[in-house]
Amino acid sequence: MNAPTPPRPIRALPDQLISQIAAGEVVERPSAVVKELLENALDAGSSQITVRLEEGGVKRICITDNGKGIPPDQMPLALARHATSKIASLDDLENVGTLGFRGEALASIASVAAVTLTSRTADGAHAWELEGSHLGTVVPSSGAHGTTIDVRDLYFNTPARRKFLKSEQTEFGHCAEVVRRIALARPDVSFTLTHNGRTVDHWMVSDMAKRSAQILGATFEEARLPIDEGSGVLRVHGFAGLPTASKGRADSQYFYVNGRFVRDKLLVHAVRAAYEDVLHGDRFPSYVLALDLDPALVDVNVHPSKIEVRFRDSRAVHQFVFHAVQRALAATSATSHGSVPSPLPAAETLQTSGPTWRPQQQTSFGSILNPEYRPTFSPSPFGGSNGGVAQSTERYGALFAGDARDGATGFSAGNAAAPSAGWSSGATAADGSAGFRASSDYSLPQGAPIAASSSQLSGDEFPLGFALAQLHGIYILAQNSKGLVLVDMHAAHERILYEQLKNALDAQISGTDMQVQNLLIPVTFYADGIEVGTVQEHGDTLKTLGFDIAVLSPTTLAVRAVPALLKNADAQTLARDVLRDVREYGGSRVLIERRNELLGTLACHTAVRANRILTQPEMNALLRQMESTERADQCNHGRPTWVQVEISALDKLFLRGQ
């Protein structure tokens, strides 16, 4: 056994040891040195910064800027502990407007490395140099206006710390990431990064759009949404990546508070919550966002590395960021880069007296295509209905009207020569082939093409265009002004239903009754004691969700009403899903925390399934509704609902023009 250590008296530590202890917090690896020196360069008003690294920053870190420089009489103080020009009082500390302020970074670095400081002010005849520490002598030197800090042999005097460093490439990777983070925050500054004499990155002065594209790549540039919202003293701006450009790792997430890169759980949660409706749980969004606010409303003096912050009103900040990102993502519909579809001009429709289309919340397409529409297949989420919020008195008939001889595209109803697209109008598939049998009383106006004229396709009124056919009972093929549109009909309908369910439940909570569909014949099913008890205990929650479930016996439940939006789904399956969530999480949590998950499950069960043959008017109605639905670009699981294949891409496939 080791002999006990004799007790030591309490005594003051020497300055060098104090600085080395502080270096353990501030200078944990070479990238921390790069961060501190870059922040000092930006605080000095630099517009051009060069970072030179050798051996991952362990052998050398040299950063040169063109800032205002340090007067020679202040250079020793720059390397002294707790000496800074950035704060002078408690009031300054509570209103920090600079990246650095603690006054201990340079002293800590100088205690574990060989440091040379060279600086020249704008009015200086020449540069001055200080080597070693604040105890050194300032001597004349050569150099341009600005400051150069040369750090060599990191941890040369603390070999135990050096043993914990990783490989050269790993340490360089961390240093390069720090440079990228800071370069993203300041596109008004040019940055050059070299490693072992080779230029790795160089970014000229630009704007946030160009700088973020340069650093995060072309994928982010092509799949991002601009954000710029303000409310009082708060402003958030930058870019949020589309859900379809999500990644398997959270390595493209950059958040800045007053120009400072931070890792704040509150901000990360706010952004993640905004993506909740459109992103699968194991995927991570990409974003570059900056929050600007009064410095007095945020405390940056939380951690020595200054990477954590604390807000005076964290709830207000969370809600502001959440809603700003959520509103941007809500625009990810087919109309996000255009205008909401407008009605066709009366002159271009066959029935000029008929009503024109307007965006509405609805889920039943059949009844709005033709007043006499009676499908012969069942069950169908597009079936006709006499009630519920899905019912609409508008018809889409006018959308598909026009003169078939006037450059129309698509198939003409009532034309026996028209090729089949997996459906037939007013005819029976006697041979049992790919078509389905439409009821004889279903008809469109005679001579009305099931598409728009070429003049309508050339505009942006209908971004998703008009349906041509259905592929394998899964995809809708449509034509728009850009080329071919492919739509996953189940994913698209699932998103539409999900948004409608959310709106209906929000209206219910705010005092407007959710419209329900009373079942003519209640659906009964066997239930265990826990399910029966859940119905008895959480009846009010079930009614809020639009379900009327009665207990008929200790082992039998009856579903007497379901939300009108889900009237065509299997009532027993819906009831079991709701009861499972209510039982597991409780009534209040289901309505607050688990609401979206439950509604997503219900929408998934109700959405049109694969191998459901749709008529062309039904497909067109689905396209129109996608154009008026928020977040219609993705289903509830984050998968895309549609893709665009432009004519130029098709031309390449067939070597046209080559």
Side-chain angles (χ1 to χ4, degrees), residues 270-560:
V271 176
R272 182 71 192 185
Y275 275 91
E276 187 178 49
D277 275 357
V278 293
L279 199 60
H280 196 273
D282 59 357
R283 303 292 294 176
F284 297 90
S286 300
Y287 53 82
V288 180
L289 297 172
L291 176 66
D292 298 335
L293 72 166
D294 186 341
L297 300 178
V298 57
D299 182 8
V300 297
N301 188 27
V302 177
H303 189 276
S305 66
K306 304 184 294 292
I307 204 169
E308 300 177 12
V309 294
R310 183 182 297 116
F311 297 101
R312 291 275 182 90
D313 190 345
S314 57
R315 178 176 175 80
V317 171
H318 181 281
Q319 291 299 98
F320 171 70
V321 172
F322 165 72
H323 287 296
V325 178
Q326 187 186 53
R327 276 190 288 269
L329 294 173
T332 56
S333 67
T335 61
S336 59
H337 302 293
S339 58
V340 175
S342 57
L344 291 181
E348 294 187 26
T349 61
L350 183 68
Q351 296 179 324
T352 56
S353 60
T356 53
W357 175 80
R358 299 175 181 83
Q360 297 205 19
Q361 291 293 335
Q362 58 202 23
T363 187
S364 178
F365 295 99
S367 61
I368 58 178
L369 296 172
N370 190 292
E372 290 77 37
Y373 180 63
R374 293 294 182 270
T376 58
F377 41 82
S378 181
S380 165
F382 300 103
S385 172
N386 295 323
V389 296
Q391 188 177 11
S392 170
T393 58
E394 301 279 5
R395 291 185 293 124
Y396 280 86
L399 284 176
F400 314 119
D403 191 343
R405 296 166 298 178
D406 185 21
T409 59
F411 307 123
S412 176
N415 184 353
S420 172
W423 62 282
S424 60
S425 179
T428 300
D431 59 355
S433 59
F436 79 92
R437 184 169 59 86
S439 57
S440 58
D441 62 346
Y442 169 54
S443 63
L444 288 169
Q446 289 299 311
I450 313 302
S453 67
S454 58
S455 62
Q456 294 158 2
L457 279 175
S458 63
D460 293 326
E461 293 176 309
F462 306 102
L464 293 180
F466 292 84
L468 298 174
Q470 192 175 10
L471 181 65
H472 287 285
I474 300 173
Y475 301 104
I476 294 173
L477 309 183
Q479 174 184 347
N480 66 359
S481 60
K482 296 180 181 179
L484 178 68
V485 174
L486 299 172
V487 178
D488 183 334
M489 66 182 193
H490 171 78
H493 193 220
E494 184 179 350
R495 167 59 67 179
I496 292 169
L497 285 173
Y498 176 58
E499 293 297 328
Q500 293 173 350
L501 285 169
K502 286 198 302 182
N503 293 336
L505 185 56
D506 288 341
Q508 165 84 346
I509 294 174
S510 63
T512 304
D513 289 340
M514 177 185 290
Q515 296 204 28
V516 300
Q517 177 70 52
N518 293 317
L519 303 182
L520 183 62
I521 302 176
V523 175
T524 61
F525 62 93
Y526 171 82
D528 58 33
I530 296 178
E531 289 176 323
V532 171
T534 301
V535 171
Q536 294 172 331
E537 184 179 353
H538 298 285
D540 291 340
T541 299
L542 295 172
K543 282 189 169 121
T544 300
L545 292 169
F547 289 87
D548 183 2
I549 304 177
V551 178
L552 298 186
S553 76
T555 58
T556 306
L557 295 176
V559 182
R560 300 190 296 198

Side-chain angles (χ1 to χ4, degrees), residues 112-337:
V112 293
V115 174
T116 301
L117 171 62
T118 306
S119 190
R120 179 181 175 184
T121 59
D123 57 355
H126 56 79
W128 295 85
E129 182 179 295
L130 175 61
E131 186 174 349
S133 70
H134 67 288
L135 301 177
T137 302
V138 179
V139 297
S141 182
S142 61
H145 294 149
T147 300
T148 296
I149 299 183
D150 199 346
V151 180
R152 294 176 181 269
D153 298 324
L154 190 61
Y155 301 131
F156 78 97
N157 55 357
T158 54
R161 291 293 306 277
R162 195 160 187 162
K163 291 179 181 178
F164 286 94
L165 295 178
K166 304 300 182 182
S167 68
E168 176 181 327
Q169 278 305 115
T170 298
E171 295 301 338
F172 170 71
H174 286 290
C175 292
E177 176 63 17
V178 166
V179 177
R180 283 192 290 268
R181 290 174 188 168
I182 293 178
L184 271 173
R186 294 295 302 271
D188 58 322
V189 178
S190 71
F191 290 85
T192 301
L193 171 64
T194 68
H195 186 227
N196 294 336
R198 183 176 65 89
T199 299
V200 178
D201 285 311
H202 177 65
W203 303 294
M204 298 294 291
V205 173
S206 59
D207 54 24
M208 177 64 80
K210 188 173 182 180
R211 180 67 61 84
S212 61
Q214 291 172 332
I215 294 179
L216 272 70
T219 301
F220 182 76
E221 180 183 16
E222 296 168 0
R224 63 183 179 181
L225 299 167
I227 296 177
D228 194 344
E229 288 203 20
S231 177
V233 297
L234 300 177
R235 180 194 175 211
V236 63
H237 56 99
F239 295 93
L242 289 171
T244 48
S246 61
K247 304 181 69 174
R249 296 186 302 170
D251 58 356
S252 294
Q253 299 181 348
Y254 299 89
F255 212 116
Y256 302 87
V257 175
N258 289 344
R260 183 193 312 277
F261 175 80
V262 298
R263 281 199 188 100
D264 185 80
K265 293 181 180 179
L266 179 135
L267 297 175
V268 170
H269 182 273
V271 176
R272 182 71 192 185
Y275 275 91
E276 187 178 49
D277 275 357
V278 293
L279 199 60
H280 196 273
D282 59 357
R283 303 292 294 176
F284 297 90
S286 300
Y287 53 82
V288 180
L289 297 172
L291 176 66
D292 298 335
L293 72 166
D294 186 341
L297 300 178
V298 57
D299 182 8
V300 297
N301 188 27
V302 177
H303 189 276
S305 66
K306 304 184 294 292
I307 204 169
E308 300 177 12
V309 294
R310 183 182 297 116
F311 297 101
R312 291 275 182 90
D313 190 345
S314 57
R315 178 176 175 80
V317 171
H318 181 281
Q319 291 299 98
F320 171 70
V321 172
F322 165 72
H323 287 296
V325 178
Q326 187 186 53
R327 276 190 288 269
L329 294 173
T332 56
S333 67
T335 61
S336 59
H337 302 293

